[in-house]
Amino acid sequence: MALTEAMLNGSLVQSSDVDNDVATATASAIAAQRHFVGGINADYSAAVAAIRTVTLKFGTTTIHVWRHDFTGGRFETSLPFAVHGDYNQAVSVELQASGSGGTTGRVGFGKCTV
């Protein structure tokens, strides 16, 4: 039953396009619920020839930081298992600023809430 509930409560969260600043996708805290994250993606509107970070946070605590060379294109990862925050806790993913004015970045993640 829990797996079925998780699948039915799945959704995607994506930031807006952000011009040379940190792009953040956030799933707000929900009373008596917790968010499970299964995959993350990030990209820029133009080529960014540098290593930039993608950061997963539960509340204000950094859980994991990926360093990705965007010279090779967008960042996409499926986690080997769903990770979750605590009950009543927001979950967010941040993409580092592009480093160039006029180059927007955006980040998103797949999650389910149980």
Side-chain angles (χ1 to χ4, degrees), residues 14-36:
Q14 185 171 351
S15 72
S16 59
D17 290 337
V18 179
D19 187 359
N20 194 24
D21 203 351
V22 176
T24 304
T26 301
S28 300
I30 300 174
Q33 299 282 306
R34 59 184 172 180
H35 300 295
F36 289 76

Side-chain angles (χ1 to χ4, degrees), residues 14-99:
Q14 185 171 351
S15 72
S16 59
D17 290 337
V18 179
D19 187 359
N20 194 24
D21 203 351
V22 176
T24 304
T26 301
S28 300
I30 300 174
Q33 299 282 306
R34 59 184 172 180
H35 300 295
F36 289 76
V37 178
I40 299 169
N41 65 69
D43 63 12
Y44 293 103
S45 62
V48 173
I51 294 174
R52 296 286 184 249
T53 60
V54 178
T55 304
L56 172 63
K57 292 184 175 182
F58 294 158
T60 58
T61 303
T62 296
I63 301 304
H64 192 78
V65 177
W66 289 267
R67 288 169 177 77
H68 181 73
D69 184 352
F70 281 89
T71 303
R74 69 183 287 122
F75 171 84
E76 287 194 56
T77 188
S78 294
L79 302 176
F81 48 86
V83 296
H84 63 81
D86 291 332
Y87 287 97
N88 312 316
Q89 186 177 51
V91 172
S92 63
V93 178
E94 298 175 350
L95 172 63
Q96 186 178 356
S98 66

